[in-house]
């Protein structure tokens, strides 16, 4: 069940309870994990990738691909899963991706992905919670 979260990324009503300090840094302070550090890079099972803070479904495993970037990448989010804003920190302009529910920072989207969208949603693995599809082995 998706929990209600404060739009400023603060934990309220139980949102984000149980997050590690590193997950809080990424989701609430717009941090980034080290490339290649997420076990989700190698996840090949069918399932859904949800927000680690609030549980909202964000991406299907059907949209995941190996971009070679070092972060879990997807060519398309689930409907109403994510929102985007312009990020001009660090002297560059990028499109930042947030959870559509709790507004937690997930990563960035770039226009260099595969068909059919041509987009690469480059996500922090620690911001995601993989939920395997029913029938998939643990």
């Amino acid at each position: 069940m998706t929990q209600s979260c404060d739009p400023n990324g603060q934990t309220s009503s139980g949102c984000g309870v149980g997050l590690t300090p590193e997950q809080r840094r990424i989701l609430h302070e717009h941090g980034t994990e080290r490339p290649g550090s997420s076990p989700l890079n190698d996840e090949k099972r069918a399932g859904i990738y949800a927000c680690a803070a609030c549980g909202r479904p964000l991406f299907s495993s059907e949209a995941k691909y190996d971009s070679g970037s070092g972060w879990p990448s997807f060519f398309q989010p689930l409907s109403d899963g994510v929102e985007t804003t312009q990020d001009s920190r660090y002297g560059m302009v990028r499109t930042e991706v947030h959870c559509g529910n709790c507004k937690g920072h997930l990563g960035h989207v770039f226009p260099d992905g595969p068909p059919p969208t041509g987009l690469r949603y480059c996500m922090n693995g620690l911001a995601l919670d993989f939920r395997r599809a029913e029938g998939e082995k643990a």
Side-chain angles (χ1 to χ4, degrees):
M1 179 174 157
T2 301
Q3 300 171 355
S4 175
C5 300
D6 182 277
N8 295 316
Q10 299 302 310
T11 56
S12 63
S13 304
C15 180
V17 171
L19 293 177
T20 67
E22 184 68 1
Q23 286 176 305
R24 281 193 296 278
R25 184 184 71 77
I26 290 167
L27 286 156
H28 298 180
E29 299 171 21
H30 305 267
T32 301
E33 67 192 7
R34 285 186 356 256
S37 65
S38 176
L40 294 182
N41 286 332
D42 298 322
E43 181 59 65
K44 306 287 189 233
R45 295 173 294 177
I48 296 294
Y49 294 82
C51 177
C54 73
R56 180 180 210 133
L58 303 171
F59 298 94
S60 167
S61 60
E62 294 174 4
K64 187 173 185 276
Y65 73 101
D66 183 1
S67 68
S69 67
W71 289 276
S73 298
F74 305 85
F75 60 80
Q76 174 178 302
L78 294 171
S79 179
D80 299 323
V82 302
E83 296 175 351
T84 60
T85 58
Q86 290 300 312
D87 174 6
S88 57
R89 287 173 292 207
Y90 308 115
M92 61 184 116
V93 177
R94 301 179 291 176
T95 302
E96 187 171 1
V97 180
H98 303 272
C99 173
N101 180 57
C102 72
K103 313 305 182 221
H105 168 77
L106 303 169
H108 292 86
V109 61
F110 302 96
D112 60 1
T117 64
L119 298 174
R120 173 173 52 101
Y121 286 82
C122 189
M123 303 292 98
N124 288 288
L126 287 172
L128 303 174
D129 177 32
F130 177 70
R131 299 175 183 168
R132 61 185 167 87
E134 195 170 311
E136 283 286 326
K137 293 182 181 179

